[in-house]
Amino acid sequence: DQQVKQNSPSLSVQEGRISILNCDYTNSMFDYFLWYKKYPAEGPTFLISISSIKDKNEDGRFTVFLNKSAKHLSLHIVPSQPGDSAVYFCAASAWTNAGKSTFGDGTTLTVKP
Amino acid sequence: SQTIHQWPATLVQPVGSPLSLECTVEGTSNPNLYWYRQAAGRGLQLLFYSVGIGQISSEVPQNLSASRPQDRQFILSSKKLLLSDSGFYLCAWSQQGGNQPQHFGDGTRLSIL
């Protein structure tokens, strides 16, 4: 049973347009959600997070939206740049769970010049 | 600033040989430490996590073990590698407490022949 799902394995967008990456979760105990970015042959890098008490968090070109009732979150990148091309992982954790996160399978974003 | 070192970057081992992967963290004290494995096209599977010296929790039954001999050192081991142990192994750390982002090393690509 996969508790965090990223249903789109890949996404391709044009430079300058918006990229929207989606993530769904099933465990209602999750109260903290994160996005990581990963380049080939490197470890993931923390990008942005959101607590369940919020529905939006913004950091520069990156915005994460959380819809708790739908158990859905999304990452918006505006405007998209070729350097954003990477694998994006969604992750979720619960305060009571010793900092452990459950990861989705990732979405490969390609931003075309 | 905090840094995490993981080595080696790549490793080719014969079936039945032992394994030792090492991870060290600098610039922080008493971190949570994690070992993950990433299969091709999949997300990160948590193998072990540690909240303190000598405290190891295993998430999935497997042919591997972990140890934390010092506060900022985390070691992944096996006495006899199997073909199925091939993969990309990642070490990560986070601050103590719930809901903290994790910071990853660059990973080890392990190939079993």
Side-chain angles (χ1 to χ4, degrees):
Chain A
D1 175 34
Q2 199 166 7
Q3 298 186 58
V4 177
K5 292 184 180 180
Q6 295 177 254
N7 292 316
S8 298
S10 62
L11 174 68
S12 181
V13 300
Q14 207 65 37
E15 181 179 7
R17 306 295 292 269
I18 185 172
S19 296
I20 300 176
L21 296 97
N22 294 302
C23 178
D24 298 293
Y25 63 96
T26 58
N27 189 340
S28 58
M29 296 299 292
F30 289 145
D31 55 10
Y32 185 62
F33 304 89
L34 312 94
W35 285 94
Y36 292 86
K37 176 180 179 180
K38 183 183 181 303
Y39 293 118
E42 294 183 8
T45 302
F46 168 67
L47 195 55
I48 192 170
S49 64
I50 187 168
S51 164
S52 60
I53 62 173
K54 295 185 175 182
D55 55 17
K56 177 182 175 181
N57 187 27
E58 192 171 356
D59 184 2
R61 296 186 296 114
F62 302 91
T63 303
V64 56
F65 295 92
L66 175 63
N67 182 334
K68 283 181 292 183
S69 61
K71 293 189 174 67
H72 177 83
L73 64 154
S74 61
L75 174 68
H76 293 210
I77 306 174
V78 184
S80 301
Q81 299 173 353
D84 296 328
S85 298
V87 178
Y88 289 79
F89 289 101
C90 169
S93 66
W95 175 267
T96 56
N97 209 14
K100 294 185 293 180
S101 290
T102 301
F103 285 78
D105 285 346
T107 297
T108 300
L109 173 65
T110 302
V111 180
K112 298 179 178 179
Chain B
S1 64
Q2 301 92 354
T3 56
I4 180 168
H5 302 281
Q6 185 182 346
W7 66 93
T10 59
L11 188 60
V12 180
Q13 292 283 98
V15 170
S17 64
L19 173 74
S20 180
L21 301 181
E22 188 164 343
C23 172
T24 59
V25 181
E26 295 177 359
T28 187
S29 59
N30 200 26
N32 286 343
L33 295 172
Y34 311 85
W35 278 111
Y36 288 88
R37 177 168 57 205
Q38 185 188 12
R42 299 300 303 277
L44 281 64
Q45 180 187 35
L46 180 62
L47 302 176
F48 301 95
Y49 75 96
S50 171
V51 298
I53 295 174
Q55 301 179 62
I56 309 294
S57 296
S58 173
E59 290 296 294
V60 293
Q62 58 210 314
N63 184 42
L64 302 167
S65 62
S67 62
R68 183 171 178 172
Q70 300 180 45
D71 180 46
R72 291 169 291 173
Q73 184 185 28
F74 207 22
I75 298 171
L76 183 68
S77 304
S78 173
K79 292 181 180 178
K80 288 179 115 175
L81 285 167
L82 307 172
L83 283 174
S84 58
D85 291 323
S86 292
F88 189 54
Y89 289 84
L90 288 156
C91 181
W93 74 271
S94 73
Q95 299 285 3
Q96 287 280 347
N99 295 348
Q100 298 284 346
Q102 294 177 21
H103 307 279
F104 289 82
D106 283 337
T108 296
R109 174 70 61 191
L110 176 63
S111 300
I112 311 299
L113 303 179

